[in-house]
Amino acid sequence: MFDRRHLLRASGSAAAGVLGAAALPAPAAASRTARPPVASDPTAGVTRTLLQEHPSPADGWEAVQTLVRIPRHQESGRHSHPGIEVGYIVRGDVLMEFDDRPPLRLRTGDPFFIPDGAIHNARNVGTVTTMMLSTYVVDASKPLVTTC
């Protein structure tokens, strides 16, 4: 098992390879002075901040909770998780796009559920930075995020 907390705080290609580039948060000091996202990279500025992680009662699984921030006009990028995601839109408007079903329009206060392995993309379609509370129950031996 690898330490997701360390990987979420790490930077560079090693962490990006394990969690996916969109999973890497900007360092706290840099986020206050960072340049605006580059228009050619729709995932620029997207962060996942680890809030907590705990072993699951099922062997080999764990519960991980993150706060996902998606700036205006940006998106998470197509990705999947090795288990379920249960989420809540804390702030903002999101179009949750799926490869295998119609998209969902989610607004502040809406809950959502993403099945194991479902490829999805969260697109910020609102006027503020979207904040989503995401809780995952995932296979502890696999990366939390796999980009597609």
Side-chain angles (χ1 to χ4, degrees), residues 33-123:
T33 59
R35 290 177 282 168
V38 177
S40 63
D41 181 2
T43 64
V46 175
T47 62
R48 284 182 180 87
T49 303
L50 179 67
L51 301 175
Q52 59 181 326
E53 63 181 333
H54 300 281
S56 168
D59 285 341
W61 290 79
E62 67 180 343
V64 178
Q65 190 172 57
T66 66
L67 181 62
V68 180
R69 289 181 180 89
I70 304 174
R72 284 181 61 198
H73 310 297
Q74 300 300 103
E75 60 190 65
S76 64
R78 291 176 66 247
H79 66 282
S80 65
H81 308 284
I84 64 165
E85 177 180 0
V86 179
Y88 178 79
I89 306 298
V90 176
R91 178 179 71 191
D93 295 297
V94 170
L95 185 63
M96 190 71 71
E97 302 166 323
F98 299 91
D99 279 10
D100 63 349
R101 69 190 79 162
L104 291 175
R105 175 71 185 254
L106 302 166
R107 293 177 172 86
T108 300
D110 286 343
F112 62 92
F113 176 85
I114 299 176
D116 179 9
I119 297 173
H120 58 287
N121 178 47
R123 181 183 309 275

